Amino acid sequence: MVAWREVVAAEPEFAAQVRQRFEAHRHKTLATLRSDGSPRISGTEAQFIEGDLWFGSMARALKALDLLRDPRFALHGPSVDPDDDNPSAWPGEAKLSGRAVEVTDRAQIEAVLKAQGVTDPGEFGDSHFFRLDIEEVVLTRLGDPADHLVIQLWTPGGGLRSFQRK
């Protein structure tokens, strides 16, 4: 698994497209695993900060407890429904998966919060903060012509691969 900066270094154009999809909307969908192994879907916000992808959680929120027990996650950038009159204008969607690493070092957390424009990091004293180690990144969009999907998949060991689906 790798930090976001390594995805950028390996495939800068692909990484820029993925980041654009993730930053198009504030809220993302996070999948974690409950203690019985079943999936949990939660809303979250995630930010790219100094080469890493981060998200936070309220103290003892279920998604945080899930990740502390089993760090595997999947994060889906928000998708915009295609316009029925112009489906080829659909911008596509991005998702990634890996392992969430809880960061507890207050100096590092304060630096991340300040990078987000937070003026009083103390108000997040009990919150959980996670840095995401990435195992897989996927970008899905319409092809040209818009009669098929183009799926781009990047992994640290496999690099960037493309597939088409009709």
Side-chain angles (χ1 to χ4, degrees), residues 35-54:
S35 60
D36 67 1
S38 63
R40 181 188 315 275
I41 299 293
S42 304
T44 196
E45 298 174 25
Q47 295 83 30
F48 295 90
I49 301 170
E50 296 184 10
D52 284 311
L53 185 53
W54 291 82

Side-chain angles (χ1 to χ4, degrees), residues 31-148:
T32 59
L33 295 170
R34 300 170 192 253
S35 60
D36 67 1
S38 63
R40 181 188 315 275
I41 299 293
S42 304
T44 196
E45 298 174 25
Q47 295 83 30
F48 295 90
I49 301 170
E50 296 184 10
D52 284 311
L53 185 53
W54 291 82
F55 74 88
S57 170
M58 291 185 293
R60 309 229 8 107
L62 293 175
K63 65 184 168 189
L65 297 177
D66 287 347
L67 292 168
L68 293 173
R69 186 183 52 260
D70 184 333
R72 293 177 293 172
F73 75 90
L75 185 67
H76 184 259
S79 179
V80 177
D81 286 336
D83 180 349
D84 288 339
D85 295 327
N86 186 15
S88 64
W90 179 58
E93 62 184 21
K95 55 192 168 199
L96 51 89
S97 61
R99 298 194 189 295
V101 177
E102 185 178 32
V103 175
T104 57
D105 178 85
R106 290 311 302 173
Q108 192 174 12
I109 291 168
E110 286 184 17
V112 166
L113 290 170
K114 286 182 181 178
Q116 294 177 46
V118 173
T119 56
D120 181 13
E123 66 184 280
F124 294 95
D126 292 338
S127 298
H128 298 276
F129 294 89
F130 295 93
R131 187 190 75 245
L132 303 182
D133 284 345
I134 299 167
E135 187 174 330
E136 178 180 270
V137 183
V138 178
L139 180 65
T140 303
R141 59 181 172 72
L142 287 173
D144 185 19
D147 64 349
H148 63 284

